Short mmCIF file of all heavy atoms in Angstrom, two decimals:
data_model
loop_
_atom_site.label_atom_id
_atom_site.label_comp_id
_atom_site.label_asym_id
_atom_site.label_seq_id
_atom_site.Cartn_x
_atom_site.Cartn_y
_atom_site.Cartn_z
N ALA H 77 119.42 -31.45 -7.21
CA ALA H 77 119.21 -30.03 -7.18
C ALA H 77 119.88 -29.44 -5.97
O ALA H 77 120.28 -30.11 -5.06
CB ALA H 77 117.68 -29.72 -7.16
N LYS H 78 120.13 -28.11 -6.03
CA LYS H 78 120.55 -27.39 -4.78
C LYS H 78 119.27 -27.12 -4.03
O LYS H 78 118.31 -26.57 -4.64
CB LYS H 78 121.24 -26.08 -5.15
CG LYS H 78 122.56 -26.31 -5.88
CD LYS H 78 123.02 -24.98 -6.43
CE LYS H 78 123.98 -25.24 -7.58
NZ LYS H 78 123.25 -25.67 -8.82
N VAL H 79 119.25 -27.27 -2.72
CA VAL H 79 118.07 -26.95 -2.00
C VAL H 79 118.41 -26.05 -0.87
O VAL H 79 119.33 -26.31 -0.10
CB VAL H 79 117.39 -28.25 -1.38
CG1 VAL H 79 116.08 -27.89 -0.81
CG2 VAL H 79 117.21 -29.34 -2.47
N ILE H 80 117.66 -24.93 -0.78
CA ILE H 80 117.90 -23.95 0.37
C ILE H 80 116.75 -24.12 1.28
O ILE H 80 115.59 -23.67 0.94
CB ILE H 80 118.01 -22.53 -0.22
CG1 ILE H 80 119.19 -22.46 -1.25
CG2 ILE H 80 118.27 -21.56 0.93
CD1 ILE H 80 119.24 -21.19 -1.99
N PRO H 81 116.94 -24.74 2.46
CA PRO H 81 115.87 -24.87 3.36
C PRO H 81 115.79 -23.70 4.32
O PRO H 81 116.73 -23.35 4.98
CB PRO H 81 116.22 -26.23 4.10
CG PRO H 81 117.72 -26.38 3.95
CD PRO H 81 118.18 -25.34 2.95
N ILE H 82 114.63 -23.11 4.42
CA ILE H 82 114.45 -21.95 5.37
C ILE H 82 113.34 -22.36 6.32
O ILE H 82 112.19 -22.35 5.95
CB ILE H 82 114.11 -20.61 4.61
CG1 ILE H 82 115.09 -20.39 3.45
CG2 ILE H 82 114.18 -19.48 5.57
CD1 ILE H 82 114.79 -19.15 2.54
N HIS H 83 113.76 -22.66 7.45
CA HIS H 83 112.78 -23.22 8.49
C HIS H 83 112.76 -22.12 9.63
O HIS H 83 113.65 -21.38 9.71
CB HIS H 83 113.42 -24.45 9.08
CG HIS H 83 112.34 -25.49 9.46
ND1 HIS H 83 112.63 -26.55 10.27
CD2 HIS H 83 111.00 -25.45 9.32
CE1 HIS H 83 111.56 -27.22 10.47
NE2 HIS H 83 110.53 -26.62 9.92
N GLY H 84 111.67 -22.11 10.35
CA GLY H 84 111.63 -21.21 11.45
C GLY H 84 111.31 -19.82 11.02
O GLY H 84 111.82 -18.82 11.73
N MET H 85 110.60 -19.57 9.96
CA MET H 85 110.37 -18.27 9.46
C MET H 85 109.69 -17.40 10.58
O MET H 85 109.87 -16.19 10.71
CB MET H 85 109.43 -18.31 8.30
CG MET H 85 110.06 -18.73 7.01
SD MET H 85 111.30 -17.63 6.43
CE MET H 85 110.41 -16.12 5.99
N GLN H 86 108.76 -18.08 11.29
CA GLN H 86 108.01 -17.31 12.32
C GLN H 86 108.82 -16.88 13.54
O GLN H 86 108.37 -16.08 14.27
CB GLN H 86 106.78 -18.27 12.81
CG GLN H 86 107.15 -19.50 13.55
CD GLN H 86 107.56 -20.72 12.74
OE1 GLN H 86 108.22 -20.53 11.79
NE2 GLN H 86 107.17 -21.88 13.14
N ALA H 87 110.10 -17.35 13.57
CA ALA H 87 110.93 -16.98 14.70
C ALA H 87 112.06 -16.03 14.29
O ALA H 87 112.44 -15.16 15.04
CB ALA H 87 111.46 -18.27 15.42
N TYR H 88 112.64 -16.28 13.13
CA TYR H 88 113.91 -15.62 12.78
C TYR H 88 113.88 -14.75 11.61
O TYR H 88 114.83 -13.97 11.36
CB TYR H 88 115.02 -16.71 12.53
CG TYR H 88 115.15 -17.74 13.67
CD1 TYR H 88 114.82 -19.05 13.49
CD2 TYR H 88 115.64 -17.29 14.90
CE1 TYR H 88 114.90 -19.98 14.50
CE2 TYR H 88 115.69 -18.20 15.95
CZ TYR H 88 115.39 -19.52 15.76
OH TYR H 88 115.50 -20.36 16.78
N SER H 89 112.75 -14.71 10.86
CA SER H 89 112.83 -13.90 9.63
C SER H 89 112.32 -12.51 9.83
O SER H 89 111.87 -12.18 10.87
CB SER H 89 112.01 -14.68 8.54
OG SER H 89 110.70 -14.46 8.86
N SER H 90 112.31 -11.70 8.73
CA SER H 90 111.71 -10.42 8.84
C SER H 90 110.19 -10.45 8.98
O SER H 90 109.59 -9.35 9.21
CB SER H 90 112.05 -9.56 7.57
OG SER H 90 113.45 -9.20 7.64
N ALA H 91 109.63 -11.59 8.92
CA ALA H 91 108.16 -11.74 9.20
C ALA H 91 107.89 -11.19 10.64
O ALA H 91 106.89 -10.65 10.96
CB ALA H 91 107.76 -13.17 9.04
N VAL H 92 108.90 -11.44 11.51
CA VAL H 92 108.77 -11.05 12.91
C VAL H 92 108.73 -9.49 12.94
O VAL H 92 108.05 -8.97 13.84
CB VAL H 92 109.96 -11.56 13.77
CG1 VAL H 92 109.83 -11.16 15.21
CG2 VAL H 92 110.18 -13.06 13.56
#
Side-chain angles (χ1 to χ4, degrees):
K78 296 169 202 74
V79 188
I80 303 173
I82 312 176
H83 212 191
M85 285 299 290
Q86 67 280 40
Y88 305 114
S89 73
S90 285
V92 183

